[in-house]
Amino acid sequence: APLHQIARAPRSSAITMEEIASLPLVGLTAWQALSPHLRPGQSNVLIVGGSGGTGHVAIQVAKALGAKTVVAVCSTRNVEFVKECGATHVIDYSLEEDVIVALQNHVNKDDDGLCFDIILDCVTSGDPNDARYQYPQRIRNAHNPSIVVPDHLYQRLGGPWKDWISAGLAPPDLFSHSW
């Protein structure tokens, strides 16, 4: 790669090699989820799980791509972190009785008529344990038109936990093909 495309961590950096090695995966995931759809200066982005690996990078990618607003959902201990990453507003799910009501309240008090056109859900996977949050159904619910625009994009990351485990445990099948 050309030298101007290579990032180097300063020698005194507190970031570990493991952390550096993880950036391509979460960075590309965030980029691929947001870049084709985000309209600079117009898009209002909601990131559920804003303090996680992909979520905190997605906040920064959304800001770098010119999102009008980036609202992140996270817990109390991560509120300052996601603000430092560039979140315009933070919904603290551990303080809220209902995240959806908190989102509606935030949207309703915004003078510009903020509705989300891109939702990146880094929490809800295909796992039945995640179904208890019901974020996809509740955010996209027709009774909540104040949260999303009609032609919004809802991106969900992940799949069933069994797929994650089998992907990590299954040895590669290098010799089954006849060459």
Side-chain angles (χ1 to χ4, degrees), residues 160-173:
W161 65 270
K162 292 176 186 175
D163 291 349
W164 288 95
I165 291 175
S166 63
L169 297 177
D173 188 5

Side-chain angles (χ1 to χ4, degrees), residues 32-56:
Q32 290 172 344
L34 297 172
S35 67
H37 312 287
L38 196 141
R39 296 170 314 203
Q42 298 176 29
S43 290
N44 296 308
V45 180
L46 171 63
I47 300 176
V48 181
S51 61
T54 301
H56 85 281

Side-chain angles (χ1 to χ4, degrees), residues 32-155:
Q32 290 172 344
L34 297 172
S35 67
H37 312 287
L38 196 141
R39 296 170 314 203
Q42 298 176 29
S43 290
N44 296 308
V45 180
L46 171 63
I47 300 176
V48 181
S51 61
T54 301
H56 85 281
V57 173
I59 293 168
Q60 296 171 68
V61 168
K63 291 297 279 189
L65 290 172
K68 181 178 173 187
T69 58
V70 180
V71 176
V73 178
C74 70
S75 65
T76 303
R77 70 181 181 146
N78 294 312
V79 168
E80 289 306 313
F81 172 65
V82 297
K83 284 181 180 177
E84 289 171 10
C85 288
T88 309
H89 185 75
V90 180
I91 303 292
D92 182 346
Y93 71 79
S94 56
L95 296 180
E96 301 294 340
E97 251 182 73
D98 188 335
V99 170
I100 305 307
V101 171
L103 286 168
Q104 287 172 325
N105 291 338
H106 174 69
V107 166
N108 291 336
K109 76 177 182 183
D110 188 275
D111 295 332
D112 293 334
L114 168 73
C115 285
F116 300 106
D117 53 325
I118 300 175
I119 299 100
L120 180 59
D121 185 346
C122 303
V123 172
T124 309
S125 70
D127 189 291
N129 291 328
D130 289 337
R132 71 179 185 262
Y133 297 109
Q134 298 180 338
Y135 286 133
Q137 300 89 338
R138 295 178 67 218
I139 290 173
R140 299 177 87 178
N141 186 331
H143 297 15
N144 293 330
S146 62
I147 295 178
V148 295
V149 297
D151 61 343
H152 67 276
L153 172 72
Y154 195 108
Q155 300 257 43

